[in-house]
Amino acid sequence: MRLAELSRRSKIPTATIKYYLREGLLPPGRRVTATQAEYDDAHLQRLRLVRALIQVGGVPVASAREVLTALEDDSLDHNSRLGTAVWALPHGPEPSGDEVFQERAGRTVDALLARLGWDSAREYAAESPAHRMLVTAVAALARLGYPCAVEDLAPYARAGHQLAVTDLDLIERYDSADEQLEAAVALTVLYEPVLLALRRIAQAQESHRRYGQRSTEE
């Protein structure tokens, strides 16, 4: 297909595709004339992944290029490629700089992962943006005096594990490895507001169950 057809099928403007080509996010097409090239379904699939990273995930172009380079590394297994794609996504605020609370939170998170038996999470803790984000969040809770001991966090972790099972079940609906990588990025980003909304609706429902009936009776 020519560039115009690639743009139509991907729903991405030709100017944006040309930018991705210049930045090395999309491999060049097969040259047919001095000014024209042919593209195939592999380019279309790559464009969808680039869109998932940059437009949906908010990943900077330089980081997206690194991710795509890693994804093409044949030495990486499928698990590593999925991790590389998801770890590239924005992961919340950086540590506040309060080292005392950060260190305490780090110990709490390590104890939580040990209790859950999440050995692989502990193994890659130093490299994991999600681990750093969790430590920062726990440090903020502790600094403000809210419950954040291991026993407080464990129910959330168990709920998170069930969500992860659901996530991977959704991703496995896609056949190819590239489609699964795209889905891992897009679904991680797009389902986070769904989870937030459902949590708040559930809180309202549970609040009504606990306290609403009492108010009516009074």
Side-chain angles (χ1 to χ4, degrees), residues 158-213:
R158 295 189 184 101
H161 176 262
Q162 186 54 54
L163 288 171
V165 171
T166 303
D167 285 339
L168 270 293
D169 286 345
L170 280 176
I171 290 167
E172 287 179 353
R173 292 183 187 179
Y174 296 87
D175 296 327
S176 72
D178 284 348
E179 287 176 319
Q180 290 183 4
L181 290 168
E182 176 197 343
V185 172
L187 293 177
T188 296
V189 173
L190 295 174
Y191 262 90
E192 284 182 348
V194 173
L195 294 175
L196 177 60
L198 287 174
R199 182 191 182 194
R200 292 182 179 178
I201 291 170
Q203 285 175 337
Q205 178 68 20
E206 180 62 13
S207 176
H208 178 75
R209 186 188 71 81
R210 294 190 185 196
Y211 314 121
Q213 296 299 329

Side-chain angles (χ1 to χ4, degrees), residues 111-132:
L112 172 67
L113 298 180
R115 177 178 295 189
L116 295 167
W118 290 5
D119 295 333
S120 63
R122 296 173 67 194
E123 180 182 354
Y124 294 106
E127 306 170 18
S128 170
H131 184 277
R132 292 194 296 273

Side-chain angles (χ1 to χ4, degrees), residues 131-145:
H131 184 277
R132 292 194 296 273
M133 181 170 63
L134 177 57
V135 170
T136 299
V138 172
L141 285 165
R143 190 166 53 251
L144 295 172

Side-chain angles (χ1 to χ4, degrees), residues 75-87:
S75 67
L76 295 178
D77 59 22
H78 192 47
N79 176 58
S80 298
R81 292 182 179 186
L82 282 172
T84 299
V86 174
W87 284 9

